[in-house]
Amino acid sequence: MLFRQLRRRRQLKQFYCALAALQRNIFACYLEEDYPEARHAYETRLRRAHHAVFAAMQVLRRIEGVVTHHSIINKLARLYEAVIALGQLRLRVSDRALFTVWRQELLAMTDVLGKIFQQRSCAPYVDMQSDLQALQYVKENLEDVYHGALRITAPEPLIFLFFIEDLTAVSDALTVLA
Amino acid sequence: MMGFAAGGLLALIAWLVWRATRRSTRRFRRVIGAILAGQQAYFVALVQPFMTSTDGVSNDALERGWLMLPEWVAERGFSRHFQLGYTFFVEKLAQVGDTLFTLHVLARRQPDAAAIQLLSPELLAYTDQVNTVFTVLQALILQTESAAVGEAALAQLADCLQALEEKFRHTLPVNLEWLEHARDNVCLVNFLYTLEDLYWQLRRLMQALA
């Protein structure tokens, strides 16, 4: 029993570290200026980040055994799906100049998410209220910029609204885990 | 005599390279076919919870499929001549996987049940046709079908998508102001956008095989 708990804790740490790397690679696709020219390299790094998350999930599934509806496996799956969904925007936006409008907010968002996942990797069961508040604050800044600029300048403002809702999904998934 | 020996040696080397390439091509096709089959089953399974507002599906099979992605195509030493085509496939398959996870996120959020009920005939037709396209893709990968079958399946999928979009436009007043005030419906619109993303990704895969 203790051995299983230790294994689970270690694997949760690996999962959250992998998730931190995944979100970093996703946001790099929005923030790095050379993404259009070096797309293959970024996509390869992104796939490797996915690989690390799924490898950790598979080990966690073996440790947990039977998965019920309220099992931690489902909650973790919900979290990584929400993080992966944040990457859809890179496939929908052709004018990368639009990301410069959101640059500071996207940088803040990737910092906050990175901190949350790093903290969870060190202490998976710690209280997350202050982190969720920080996430909510950054999301509100993103929404303000969307309403102030992107809504008017972007040819398809809807896809940025979808991104904001995907951030809500990440926040909800973290709340469920908390 | 020496010329004969040199020619024989060169022919042997060429044959060994050809055999290694053919073996890696066959291995690649088998793995891609298996991953496509897993993605097909996942897509069909996740549309049901979306339409009936029930629990989501397990990601176990899709995670295992992802771990099977032939990343060895991006390794150094793999023939540069073949690498670009193979890495294109791996990249597109990974994007299809991402799109499926995004659809699952949206399905879990359980948008407006009444709107989904109105769209269900077109949604079911689209799901069936995506299922067919996945089957045809696997057949093309394993070289048991012709490109014409793929083009026909894609054309039908485009028609189903168009019918779904037209029904949606007639059923709901989609504009930015409406969505910003009724944020529950953002999820439904996002679901339809993501279905369109899936269409374009499957189309690129099909065209690469044609």
Side-chain angles (χ1 to χ4, degrees):
Chain A
M1 185 72 172
L2 180 65
F3 179 64
R4 188 162 160 248
Q5 281 178 357
L6 286 171
R7 275 187 73 202
R8 181 203 280 167
R9 200 178 174 101
R10 190 176 65 209
Q11 212 52 44
L12 274 174
K13 180 176 176 152
Q14 288 203 355
F15 172 79
Y16 281 115
C17 285
L19 205 56
L22 176 61
Q23 67 84 24
R24 211 167 40 242
N25 279 292
I26 287 173
F27 279 87
C29 297
Y30 303 136
L31 294 164
E32 299 300 326
E33 286 171 11
D34 65 342
Y35 174 76
E37 292 83 30
R39 201 172 53 81
H40 281 302
Y42 281 95
E43 294 291 323
T44 303
R45 279 198 286 272
L46 200 49
R47 282 200 309 277
R48 286 188 185 142
H50 280 75
H51 195 281
V53 170
F54 296 145
M57 276 301 293
Q58 285 293 299
V59 177
L60 277 167
R61 284 179 190 278
R62 279 200 295 276
I63 294 170
E64 291 298 310
V66 174
V67 174
T68 59
H69 176 62
H70 296 290
S71 142
I72 191 169
I73 295 294
N74 281 337
K75 294 176 186 176
L76 293 174
R78 199 170 157 168
L79 176 60
Y80 78 63
E81 282 175 356
V83 171
I84 287 171
L86 294 177
Q88 280 296 108
L89 188 63
R90 80 188 190 284
L91 305 173
R92 292 169 170 170
V93 171
S94 49
D95 182 7
R96 291 188 58 81
L98 293 168
F99 289 129
T100 57
V101 177
W102 246 358
R103 187 176 170 78
Q104 295 306 319
E105 288 72 24
L106 287 174
L107 276 168
M109 181 55 73
T110 185
D111 276 343
V112 163
L113 285 173
K115 276 187 192 126
I116 290 175
F117 295 140
Q118 284 297 341
Q119 276 171 13
R120 297 292 290 180
S121 73
C122 298
Y125 306 110
V126 79
D127 181 43
M128 273 204 295
Q129 280 308 316
S130 57
D131 294 330
L132 289 173
Q133 280 168 6
L135 187 63
Q136 182 61 24
Y137 176 73
V138 178
K139 186 169 116 24
E140 282 168 8
N141 286 346
L142 267 166
E143 279 201 62
D144 289 340
V145 175
Y146 162 77
H147 285 291
L150 282 169
R151 194 179 179 281
I152 302 149
T153 56
E156 270 201 281
L158 260 184
I159 55 178
F160 293 95
L161 199 58
F162 296 157
F163 183 80
I164 292 168
E165 287 305 306
D166 289 337
L167 285 169
T168 307
V170 172
S171 178
D172 289 348
L174 284 168
T175 306
V176 166
L177 268 167
Chain B
M1 191 67 187
M2 278 182 67
F4 179 78
L9 190 62
L10 278 170
L12 179 65
I13 292 168
W15 179 77
L16 285 170
V17 168
W18 171 81
R19 208 178 81 152
T21 308
R22 205 165 147 231
R23 205 178 280 170
S24 58
T25 305
R26 274 205 299 252
R27 181 163 55 128
F28 184 82
R29 286 178 187 272
R30 268 201 313 270
V31 166
I32 296 293
I35 294 171
L36 278 170
Q39 289 179 341
Q40 176 184 15
Y42 186 82
F43 175 75
V44 170
L46 76 86
V47 174
Q48 190 59 30
F50 177 73
M51 292 177 62
T52 58
S53 300
T54 53
D55 297 340
V57 297
S58 168
N59 291 350
D60 185 21
L62 207 61
E63 288 167 13
R64 279 189 274 116
W66 194 288
L67 293 173
M68 283 164 57
L69 268 178
E71 288 294 343
W72 48 266
V73 299
E75 295 297 328
R76 281 187 199 176
F78 188 69
S79 163
R80 191 79 190 133
H81 174 69
F82 294 106
Q83 196 174 48
L84 290 173
Y86 284 40
T87 51
F88 170 85
F89 243 89
V90 170
E91 196 178 294
K92 292 304 162 205
L93 264 192
Q95 285 174 4
V96 170
D98 277 359
T99 302
L100 292 175
F101 281 127
T102 305
L103 285 170
H104 196 202
V105 171
L106 298 166
R108 282 188 205 261
R109 290 179 82 74
Q110 297 179 353
D112 184 3
I116 294 168
Q117 194 60 34
L118 286 169
L119 295 170
S120 60
E122 286 77 14
L123 200 49
L124 281 169
Y126 183 80
T127 306
D128 285 342
Q129 196 53 34
V130 167
N131 197 19
T132 305
V133 166
F134 268 115
T135 306
V136 170
L137 271 172
Q138 287 165 69
L140 284 173
I141 288 275
L142 298 171
Q143 296 173 312
T144 57
E145 269 299 358
S146 69
V149 174
E151 282 164 19
L154 262 185
Q156 282 189 323
L157 185 61
D159 291 340
C160 289
L161 181 64
Q162 195 178 4
L164 179 60
E165 286 172 348
E166 274 171 18
K167 181 71 178 285
F168 183 71
R169 272 194 290 272
H170 283 122
T171 306
L172 292 160
V174 181
N175 58 54
L176 210 48
E177 287 77 20
W178 174 73
L179 282 173
E180 284 169 2
H181 286 104
R183 294 295 275 265
D184 289 344
N185 295 306
V186 174
C187 168
L188 177 60
V189 180
N190 196 358
F191 193 85
L192 294 173
Y193 257 74
T194 313
L195 286 179
E196 190 178 341
D197 290 342
L198 183 62
Y199 162 73
W200 286 107
Q201 285 160 1
L202 291 174
R203 187 188 166 95
R204 277 186 217 109
L205 278 174
M206 191 74 83
Q207 286 171 340
L209 289 168

